[in-house]
Amino acid sequence: MDLRIRQYLSKAQEKRDAEYVRKAYELIRASAAAASDGRSLSELRVLCAEQSLQLGCREITQDCLMMYLEGKPPANQFLCRAYLCQGQLISSRSISTAEDLDKAVMYYLKAIEIAKDKSRYHFLVFNASLLYLQSVRRLLRPGQRRLLVSSLTQVLEALEEVQDPDHAWRAELMLHLVECLLDAGKKKEAAAMAKVTSDFIQSHKPELYPRLFSIQVRHNLMDVSEMLNDGNPKLLVMYKIQKLKHAVDVSEAKRDDAATLKEIFLLLTQSSELKASGLQASSPPPDIHRSSAPPNIISESSGSSPPPFTQSTSAPPSVLHSSPSSSCSSSVCLDHGSSIPLTDSTSAPPSVLHSSPSSSCSSSVCLDHGSSIPLTDRVELLLDLAFLSLQLQQHQTASDCLKELRATDVTVAQRIMTECVQCELELNKHREGMQNYSRSSVELRSSVIMRLDAVLQTALEQADARATQAVCVCQWNACLPLLQHNLRKRVQKPLLTLARALQHTHSLLLDVLCRVHAELAAIDEEDEKLESAMKHLQKALELDPHSQHLSSSLHLLQLRSSVHSAPTRPEERAARLIQQAKEGSGREALRKRRPLLVSAGVSLAPDAFQTVLDADGKVKDDGAGDHVELLAAKAQHHSSCVQKVKGHLDGLDKSSDDKERVRLWGSLAKTARKQELFDVCQAACRFCLLYDDGRWKNTSEPKNRASPDQRNQSEPNTQSDLLRLLAEVHFISAEVTVLKLRSEGVELNGSAVAPDEKRTRPPEDDAHWNLYSDWIKDLSAYATGGFLRGAELGAELREDWLVVNAAVYLWNYNSWLLATGGHRLLLPTFRRLLELLRQTGHAGEVVLLGMLCDAVAQGLIQPWCGMSVRADQESQDAGKGGEKMLPAEKTKKVRGKSVEKSGSTQGPQLDAAAMQDVKKALEVCEFALRLSSGNAEPLPISVRKQLCSTWVCVKQLLQQQIGHKLDINDESKNEAVTAMSRVLVAVEMLQCNRSSRLMQFTVPSLSVLVQMALGCQWSDPVVELCVWTQLALFTHQTQDHSLVLTCTHNALQLEQNAAQRVKTAAYALFSVRSVQEMLSSAACVRGQSLIQEARAHHSRYMEGLLKLQHSVSFAQQAGSWSLCMSAAAHFWSACLPLLDSRRDRRQLRGALELILKTISQTYSKHTAGKTKRASVLKRDGPDTTNAGIADDDLKVWTAVISALLHIHADAGDWRRGLQLLDEALREMPHTEHRLALLKQRVLVKARLGESLLLDMQWFTNEGETVCAQMWQRAALCAKDKPQRLSCYQNAITALQSPRGPWQKVEVLLEFAEWLYVTHFPVTDVRLQIEWAVDMLLFTDTQNTDEGSGPCLCDVRSVGRLERLMRSHTLLALTEERSSLKQQQHLLTAYSCSLHIWKVSMATAQEVMNDLAEGQDVRSASSRKDKERPDEKKTKQVRLVS
């Protein structure tokens, strides 16, 4: 029977057939029942257990081992082999807890204890060590290695005791032990072990020393100064690389990293001058088991683990930072310093494991002390340097390494690694575009992913585990941004390949593999492939069995797939309804989703959910009340319905699972949010947030600092997941509340808006309106509190991305309030956010942190500045070009020179409370400036400019001089940043000196500041443009023409760069409008300066006009009415000397037409309200009269139109002039200036012979005098007789009031004269003249006697006499020559002339007498004044005498 058993086992081993194992097992059981030879049967049981384990028959293995061990076998090799089988059997079920590890390791150690006592069993010690390492291989990861310290120490001691001859294997285990000690935080023990390992390696395996050296350097375990002095370039390069990695591990990246990387690259390239023969002699080492894992590909330290795996939250508007949860994953970073055994995890029989596997040997590189690095090592170091450069965002160095690698003969595996570097560089080039998820960026990333997928398949064909793992890391990082709901299907195929590669190579990237399966499950779930999704979730759960999220997702999918079974528990019913609501697509499915989700909520809260849901319903309007009462009823209804949620938890059964219910509420809220059912979402959020009452705490440490036991405990992780879920629901609830506010026409933290069309606020004493207003305020407070609570939960979880997302939400939703200077209102919220960000870290969002610090500082000092700091700092005389002298420069202005302005300490004193706030603002500013000093993470200089502005204002309030060096004490080691900061500080000091009520800074002269600005290496063209524009304004105020030209030249040449920067910048700190405004101001100042200094130089004068024209164009592009009209006014003033000449007027026609067109377009934008944001550079102007339009602006507009009309008149193009007036009247506001254009249009139409009746109606409200004047002027302009006759008749008819007879007389006389000249009948002419004479004689008859006519001698009005003289002269012309009537009329005219002289002489005599009397009075008073001193002296003499 023993023979048959051995034959079956031999055939099973030969044919790999489990059927023979089962036959052998049946014979063994039968032999045991027959009580055959015990010793022989025991050996067969062990052999059967080993063979069945290899063939996957775990039950047979377990039974055989149990039968063998129950027989109390002797301590021989079979007992050792049985223990080894038992250990493999336990480890094959996956070691996930410390208990599983201890149970498996116990059997290996038992086998070692037995085998080491007898020399013939020493080979089993080695086999046990190999099987031990295969079993614990999954724990050879950062954060898990510490579990192996004790057992691995015992294994090494056993190998040392038996003096195992495989020194490479022992060295490998010793290196693992060093890393395990470091992971356990035992640095001293690790250093001691590293010293022992160093001695051992140098004695037996010197080719492994570089790997140990890397570990020692990276973790600072030895003093390497003496070793580096030996001049070994390879060790020097490794030392520098590992030091940089250590700096990354501890987050101490410095600004000089680029120089260090460049130095390393030069060391590697200088060592490439080797002889070709030497290169050919050295064969490439095997690639299956290098001394280190692939280099880091992303910027995470190897010792830290990625953020937790959660579901995605809804992204905030204009998201500045996407959380790791947005794609349910995070980037992956591989640890260089650790070796990862890449042998197959399937255990081999002990008889085969008689020596160390060759795969555990490192590359056979001799560690000589020559002056060059071998080619194979140089290629590996170049790859390492390339990946490290990518991690440090030094893409130029990575590109240089790539070029060097392409010029070198490399292996296939190294070529694959090179391709990874190339793909990373391509992705980094378009990283900014990917932040906005532009179509081109997504397509580019998709193409790179497909390219990496092909590379990964090549790596699998090459069976190179290290290269495969490197491509997997690169591929995962490339797929992360596309793991969004609408993009994840693009990466389904690459993710499947990625999962297959990780499984095939038995990679230790278990977290990545788990998340890949979770993402594939989500994709399959969206495609309704439930079976496939469940398989992926089961695989993910095998890798992370303690994940509550995965188990919950799997349970939900199981409920969703089991449609024929009816759930009994309300939680299960709700879960199934939620899953059903996720199915289907299209409008029909969308209509069915709401009832399903409502039913799910009712299942969870049957007594309250429907009531809370009705809170967002419409209130019935019976038509009896007004709008305000309806709003108050809506607020009252909402508040009363929401109160129903409070008693929900008290009515629940005590046996209910709170964790399950909160997950269901969260799932309901997220599903409703995704399907835009906001009322259902808000109701679910309110019930979910009831569990945020402190019942769960984050008792676990962060993953990179947690102990192994804590990592393997499910309860702390579960509580962390629940807290994270609550934080996400807080965000969703706050977002939906903001949408509720917007439905009421209110932004977050805004005031209630009145419902009437006029938008007038009801009186404050209206109880209904107060109720509605308070409700709006409560909603804003609720939303703000939700965002803050989410941030606090993120801080409790020590997950900075949650805090950053809360800050992004609050910043974006309150941006409108910041733009209007509401920093003080947001101070409590932003201060709390700042505290949390400083507590947890900013997740790399230094820009957000800097802007938040600036907003907090402004909020602290705003009450003491009287207005927003930014508005006060940025307001200047940009539009008028600095016509008003700055207060700080009034006593220091010298033409052509810029002198230094000395400061003064006079200023208002702050009280204690104000001083405390200002000091806090100073502390916040200095913290932000140190953050942006350029020593660590780069911060845009535009943010630093804002911080410098606020910091200078704080210094002014504290009455602290900054000094001539302009240092801000930010500990910056970057000279470029320091130089730019000094210029920014100086410019802000000049701005602050404009306020005469505050302390005046001591500022360097403008010429010095210009030289400082010229010497800066500006990293942002927009900030540079702002600086040059402000300096140009200041130099123009000091009338320094040369400095003005320098500043404006530098500003205007930045036009394209600044516009491009604004369009491509990741953070919109400046807008395109602000850039155009600055360009307009610079062009305006340059034009004024050129015109002022032209001095009869025609070409320079015309150049100045051209710059003013450009200024108007820039202002039009910016939509700035004030800047546009300011530049237009300067242009008009400069044009006035040229308008006298017809030739010069003709030359200005094109420019004036462009100016007019620009003014019209800008006015249309201004009145439409399309540009509401504050300008970067504003001008001081008079009070406006119409929609923000100054009266002077309208005068300029009208003058330009009149000038163009004059030019058209010169050319005789009256039709074009009429079109000009029609367009102007359509665009201009209804002011008094419009009346002048209407008058001109009447005259032009009269010249063209068009009807004037409609136009004359505009003058009906102006009075009959104006109407008559316009008819009279139209008559003079009319060309044809009928129209002119009609105009005169209308002018005469319009004058009906007796208060203005003289105007009617003038019209009659002019009309009569025209009738006479145009040969109308004399009778008609006489009638008009006689009508005028009657009016002159009989208008004022109060001094004449009744019955008697007016007497000419009684008329003493010269005007009346003059008109009578003209009237009789005209009458004389109508009579025949030498006729009696003609003589009579002429004599009457002559009498009028004489009477005029008589009246004039009498009046002149009276005036002369009055003047003589006045002169006598003045001479007498002057004599008295001269005599007064003498009289005083006489009086004094008399008193003395």
Side-chain angles (χ1 to χ4, degrees), residues 305-309 328-332 476 483 510-520 540 543 703:
S305 58
F309 175 79
C328 302
S329 307
S330 63
S331 301
V332 181
W476 176 247
L483 296 181
L510 303 181
D511 291 338
V512 175
L513 183 57
C514 175
R515 291 167 187 170
V516 169
H517 282 301
E519 290 296 336
L520 289 172
L543 298 170
K703 286 195 172 182

Side-chain angles (χ1 to χ4, degrees), residues 1096-1107:
H1097 198 289
H1098 183 72
S1099 61
R1100 183 172 297 179
Y1101 197 91
M1102 297 307 295
E1103 181 184 358
L1105 288 177
L1106 181 61
K1107 291 301 177 185

Side-chain angles (χ1 to χ4, degrees), residues 1245-1246 1249-1250 1252 1278-1288:
K1245 280 191 172 183
E1250 296 185 3
L1252 306 178
K1279 297 299 183 181
D1280 56 338
K1281 289 183 180 180
Q1283 185 181 22
R1284 198 164 190 174
L1285 178 63
S1286 175
C1287 290
Y1288 276 124

Side-chain angles (χ1 to χ4, degrees), residues 71 897 1219 1258:
K897 296 182 180 180
Q1219 294 177 0
W1258 291 98

Side-chain angles (χ1 to χ4, degrees), residues 1075-1099:
V1075 171
Q1076 299 298 335
E1077 285 178 342
M1078 291 185 284
L1079 291 171
S1080 175
S1081 299
C1084 183
V1085 171
R1086 186 176 182 86
Q1088 292 179 72
S1089 183
L1090 288 171
I1091 291 173
Q1092 291 173 4
E1093 298 294 327
R1095 297 174 183 174
H1097 198 289
H1098 183 72
S1099 61

